[in-house]
Amino acid sequence: MKKWTELVQFDPSPNDPFRANSTPIYQTATFAQEIDELNAYDYTRSGNPTRDVVQQQIAKLEKGQQGFVFNSGMAALTSLMGLLEQGDHVIASRDLYGGTHRLLSQRLPQRGITYTLVDTTDIAAVAAVFLPTTRLLLIETPSNPLQKISDIQKLGTLAHENKAYFAVDNTFLSPWLQKPLLLGADIVIHSATKHLGGHSDITAGVIVVKDPKIAEKIAFIQNAEGTALAPFECWLLLRGLKTLGLRIERQQQIATDIANYLKQHDFIKKVYYPGLIDHPHHDLHFYQARGAGTVISFETGSLELSKNIIRRVQLFTLSVSFGSLNSLINLPCAMSHASIPIELRELPADLIRLSIGIEDAEDLISDLGQALQFSAMNNVAIA
Ligand SMILES: *Cc1c(COP(=O)(O)O)cnc(C)c1O
């Protein structure tokens, strides 16, 4: 099946006697048993038919063997870390999602697991930090919010030469734009709170794997730790997935228009978007992904100017997260990435991140235009 077809063509209700065309929500904790026959389901923590449909669907979209859904992206990442044992070592991208950094720095040490952060755009630098105990290499590409691109294929080869798992957090682009398992990743992670759910109405997380042995371990962890996504949330996630392509194609088109607008604007110092032809890793990005995504970051050169822009915009809600239907604006240093200690953040304080929704590009551009104009005038007045 091709990409648009597979979003909506799947069995919505396996074994359902009424052949429901929308997946039934099995809102039940328990299932009746037979004394001498095994029922496919017994307890929702261990398995639920609504969850199985969405897990199969996401595994199919990521070209994996098996999918798992969790009650948040962080629960998915925590389950990934469950593959590790005391004494193991992790290598991860330097500009990681703040919550992932917190997990590495404040939860893993208690389990006797160490980690090293490295610029994963630099293959030699990554090669240099492998230890005999390294079991996992975890990256995000593009990174958030600076949109640095790491080479998925080369890093996969490097991880496997060192007998480590290679995991890619694919939240930023979703399988609609990038399929890391096809490029050598063993494990794909998502915060499904973002593009996969797509409506800012659930928190959810995903793991997809290729290898049945890893799948078995993740299934054990999901059941043992009780972090699977609840049936109603599974249903909302499944509904969101059906429009993944429609949403992302539109959001990306508008993001491209806005990136080009910001790029030529006099009051903007620097724009970060892999779709811009002068992005330093433009070619690598388009070798491994189909599109540039829906998030743009930019610097104004002044924290005060950035704050004024955020105060002045009307169509961009000041909010963390991305991948929702309405556009959002965020000051990463103060918001989404505040949990990373300042000395490690390496983010310009004036950096603004835009998450583009499905509004009219003209409206968004004129809103940014008036906010930039007003704030720049104000800034001059203050100076
Ligand atoms: C949001 C996010 C997470 C965490 O997911 P939650 O659903 O908020 O727990 C992990 N990785 C990335 C890249 C994210 O953007």
Side-chain angles (χ1 to χ4, degrees), residues 72-74 77 97 100 140 169 171 191 193-194 204 322:
S72 69
M74 290 322 303
L77 281 153
Y97 175 71
T100 310
E140 294 176 21
D169 183 330
T171 302
S191 167
T193 311
K194 318 287 169 51
F322 55 87

Side-chain angles (χ1 to χ4, degrees), residues 64-356:
Q65 264 293 318
Q66 206 163 328
F68 301 90
V69 293
F70 299 87
N71 54 38
S72 69
M74 290 322 303
L77 281 153
T78 303
S79 300
L80 170 71
M81 300 306 168
L83 295 174
L84 307 174
E85 285 165 22
Q86 185 175 1
D88 286 348
H89 173 251
V90 180
I91 299 172
S93 301
R94 195 170 265 286
D95 47 354
L96 276 183
Y97 175 71
T100 310
H101 182 271
R102 183 168 49 206
L103 182 66
L104 291 171
S105 63
Q106 295 183 52
R107 298 295 296 159
L108 291 196
Q110 289 141 322
R111 293 183 48 212
I113 296 164
T114 54
Y115 70 97
T116 305
L117 299 180
V118 60
D119 176 0
T120 51
T121 66
D122 181 346
I123 304 290
V126 181
V129 295
F130 270 94
L131 300 173
T133 51
T134 305
R135 288 282 311 285
L136 172 68
L137 170 62
L138 170 64
I139 69 159
E140 294 176 21
T141 181
S143 72
N144 170 18
L146 290 181
Q147 317 242 6
K148 292 188 190 163
I149 311 300
S150 298
D151 189 322
I152 298 175
Q153 266 179 349
K154 286 195 180 141
L155 290 168
T157 304
L158 191 58
H160 295 145
E161 282 167 4
N162 286 278
K163 307 213 167 359
Y165 297 121
F166 179 42
V168 178
D169 183 330
N170 202 29
T171 302
F172 215 61
L173 291 186
S174 91
W176 187 254
L177 298 178
Q178 179 170 273
K179 292 185 168 68
L181 295 178
L182 295 181
L183 294 161
D186 304 299
I187 302 161
V188 162
I189 303 283
H190 279 279
S191 167
T193 311
K194 318 287 169 51
H195 286 300
L196 300 183
H199 295 70
S200 306
D201 50 12
I202 53 167
T203 69
V206 164
I207 294 181
V208 181
V209 302
K210 284 192 297 205
D211 178 352
K213 284 202 227 76
I214 306 179
E216 204 178 305
K217 289 182 183 166
I218 299 291
F220 176 81
I221 292 167
Q222 188 191 45
N223 181 44
E225 298 186 351
T227 49
L229 193 63
F232 183 54
E233 270 72 7
C234 286
W235 185 85
L236 285 170
L237 176 54
L238 190 58
R239 183 158 81 160
L241 281 179
K242 294 176 193 175
T243 56
L244 182 69
L246 287 174
R247 289 183 282 108
I248 292 199
E249 290 294 334
R250 176 161 176 84
Q251 287 168 284
Q252 179 172 262
Q253 180 57 55
I254 302 168
T256 305
D257 292 349
I258 293 180
N260 285 320
Y261 167 76
L262 292 172
K263 179 103 188 96
Q264 53 74 46
H265 201 289
D266 290 342
F267 303 152
I268 304 286
K269 202 173 118 196
K270 186 163 181 196
V271 182
Y272 300 83
Y273 187 62
L276 293 173
I277 201 84
D278 61 351
H279 183 287
H281 307 128
H282 180 270
D283 292 348
L284 171 61
H285 179 75
F286 281 90
Y287 172 72
Q288 58 192 24
R290 264 195 334 109
T294 67
V295 175
I296 304 160
S297 303
F298 63 94
E299 283 176 60
T300 62
S302 146
L303 176 59
E304 211 35 54
L305 180 55
S306 292
K307 282 188 175 169
N308 278 333
I309 291 167
I310 290 174
R311 286 189 191 105
R312 184 74 187 178
V313 284
Q314 288 172 346
L315 298 180
F316 291 82
T317 307
L318 179 59
S319 176
V320 294
S321 199
F322 55 87
S324 60
L325 298 176
N326 58 313
S327 293
L328 310 174
I329 195 165
N330 170 357
L331 201 60
C333 266
M335 299 173 66
S336 56
H337 290 65
S339 59
I340 301 177
I342 284 180
E343 62 279 12
L344 289 176
R345 236 182 262 151
E346 295 179 351
L347 290 179
D350 62 320
L351 191 80
I352 292 180
R353 188 182 78 187
L354 301 177
S355 161
I356 305 305

